[in-house]
Amino acid sequence: MNTPEVSIIIPVYNEEAGLPALFARLYPALDALATGYEVIFINDGSRDRSAAVLREQWQDRPDVTRVILLAANAGQHMAIMAGFEHCRGQIVVTLDADLQNPPEEIAKLIAKMREGYDYVGSIRQNRQDSAFRRWASKAMNGLRERITRIKMTDQGCMLRAYSRSVVAAINSCAEVNTFIPALAYSFAQRPSEIEVAHEERHAGESKYSLYSLLRLNFDLMTGFSVVPLQWFSMTGIAISLLSALFVIFLVIRRLVVGPEAEGLFTLFGIAFFLIGLTLFGVGMLGEYVGRIYQQVRHRPRYIVGAVLETKE
Ligand code: UDP
Ligand code: MG
């Protein structure tokens, strides 16, 4: 195997039903590129037959296929990290395994990269996801745009291309929680974007529950911005100023009119409001502290069980 120009990285988690259809479209699309390529599948601790299906594919196309079997589920972004550390291409393309990102669109990304960009993101046209997902993505995109310096039209699409230098920069990070498109953007010197088609999931169901989507968005927001913390302290300052004024008013009122007995529930209301805010602040701090804790443990981010590849 000579060093290929293009590396394709595909994380796979419980995708046995869709993999054959992926192979059937991916390899012809890559052969049509007429350049050296390698496909790296990362089995992210699937509990179904995905690993076996990938092994068969490796035996079928050992010249261009490599399979990394992670010993346990590490999450989509960590699986891609494992792929980044094993890939050799000058242009590295990430792709979902469920055919939501049409493999035929890879050619467009590569053409754009060859124009001299070091990171090409993508914008999904006619996104084929539930209305709730589309709405939530829009909200999260907007929030990210405001609180981080990362500019992306569509942060959620994983069909992207990265240059060798951007991948090397990502590989030098030892982050435990991360969001790869944002991390790549922060290292890119000449980023660009193109529009790509989007399809419905070919088989199976989304591997993201509402909970894991929420976790992922916390990774993005806390990983690339401390603005949420700053917002909290600003609100804290404003509220304490207001309550100081309120106390002064009550003292004066007590001296002039006498003590007040009514308004007890107003006070309760205010107290609960403040308790709520405090809890929110503690939780917010926890988000950061939790990440610091995970980082300082220096645990391996994933463990490679085996690598299936043909050595030259
Ligand atoms: N994936 C993974 N590990 C996980 C969850 C997902 O490797 O813990 C893979 C999954 O197999 C797919 C890609 O990440 O190739 C995107 O997942 P999915 O299509 O479920 O996400 P959605 O399109 O709903 O955002
Ligand atoms: Mg999908």
Side-chain angles (χ1 to χ4, degrees):
M1 252 204 280
N2 296 322
T3 309
E5 187 200 5
V6 179
S7 296
I8 311 291
I9 305 222
I10 308 180
V12 175
Y13 181 55
N14 296 343
E15 304 279 9
E16 65 170 347
L19 284 175
L22 172 69
F23 301 150
R25 275 177 65 185
L26 178 69
Y27 285 83
L30 294 176
D31 289 332
L33 294 175
T35 184
Y37 69 85
E38 63 177 356
V39 188
I40 303 183
F41 293 100
I42 304 97
N43 176 46
D44 187 14
S46 298
R47 272 180 275 266
D48 64 358
R49 282 195 68 250
S50 293
V53 177
L54 291 175
R55 177 184 289 272
E56 281 158 23
Q57 181 59 21
W58 168 62
Q59 281 157 348
D60 228 35
R61 294 292 303 268
D63 49 331
V64 289
T65 308
R66 302 163 78 198
V67 180
I68 299 170
L69 305 173
L70 299 188
N73 183 245
Q76 179 185 7
H77 290 256
M78 279 307 124
I80 293 174
M81 287 289 233
F84 277 175
E85 280 179 6
H86 285 81
C87 73
R88 299 165 300 170
Q90 289 305 311
I91 300 176
V92 181
V93 176
T94 56
L95 189 76
D96 285 351
D98 58 357
L99 279 175
Q100 287 201 281
N101 308 136
E104 296 77 19
E105 300 287 75
I106 294 172
K108 277 202 224 165
L109 283 173
I110 289 171
K112 192 78 183 170
M113 286 292 280
R114 286 184 180 145
E115 285 174 27
Y117 297 102
D118 59 355
Y119 171 48
V120 180
S122 58
I123 308 160
R124 290 168 283 196
Q125 287 172 302
N126 303 318
R127 183 169 168 195
Q128 303 294 316
D129 273 317
S130 68
F132 170 73
R133 284 289 296 268
R134 290 201 306 270
W135 172 83
S137 289
K138 218 170 157 182
M140 283 303 155
N141 252 303
L143 184 61
R144 188 222 62 245
E145 204 71 15
R146 282 221 232 135
I147 70 170
T148 71
R149 268 181 240 170
I150 291 153
K151 302 279 164 247
M152 278 190 281
T153 312
D154 183 4
Q155 65 191 25
C157 185
M158 292 306 285
L159 178 56
R160 283 163 193 273
Y162 312 86
S163 71
R164 168 82 352 225
S165 58
V166 168
V167 169
I170 293 177
N171 286 345
S172 71
C173 296
E175 302 204 17
V176 173
N177 299 293
T178 199
F179 192 84
I180 287 170
L183 195 59
Y185 183 91
S186 62
F187 294 128
Q189 287 168 4
R190 265 198 94 197
S192 179
E193 286 185 330
I194 60 167
E195 291 197 335
V196 294
H198 193 246
E199 293 176 8
E200 263 182 65
R201 191 173 233 289
H202 182 78
E205 297 204 322
S206 173
K207 306 300 178 262
Y208 278 96
S209 62
L210 185 60
Y211 175 75
S212 41
L213 277 179
L214 217 60
R215 303 300 323 155
L216 188 66
N217 278 291
F218 263 118
D219 285 344
L220 175 60
M221 301 305 165
T222 59
F224 296 91
S225 169
V226 287
V227 173
L229 269 180
Q230 291 166 347
W231 275 350
F232 184 73
S233 32
M234 291 301 157
T235 326
I237 292 168
I239 287 175
S240 26
L241 277 178
L242 286 177
S243 23
L245 288 178
F246 187 53
V247 170
I248 294 171
F249 163 75
L250 283 183
V251 169
I252 296 172
R253 192 188 176 279
R254 196 187 174 96
L255 292 177
V256 180
V257 197
E260 60 129 24
E262 280 120 350
L264 192 64
F265 291 101
T266 320
L267 208 60
F268 263 121
I270 294 168
F272 282 140
F273 174 65
L274 290 180
I275 291 169
L277 264 167
T278 316
L279 283 177
F280 176 62
V282 172
M284 204 70 173
L285 266 174
E287 288 291 337
Y288 285 94
V289 173
R291 281 166 175 75
I292 294 168
Y293 174 55
Q294 283 173 317
Q295 196 69 59
V296 298
R297 282 188 310 209
H298 286 297
R299 283 193 191 159
R301 292 168 301 160
Y302 51 79
I303 297 160
V304 177
V307 179
L308 310 180
E309 63 184 351
T310 321
K311 285 265 186 269
E312 54 260 49

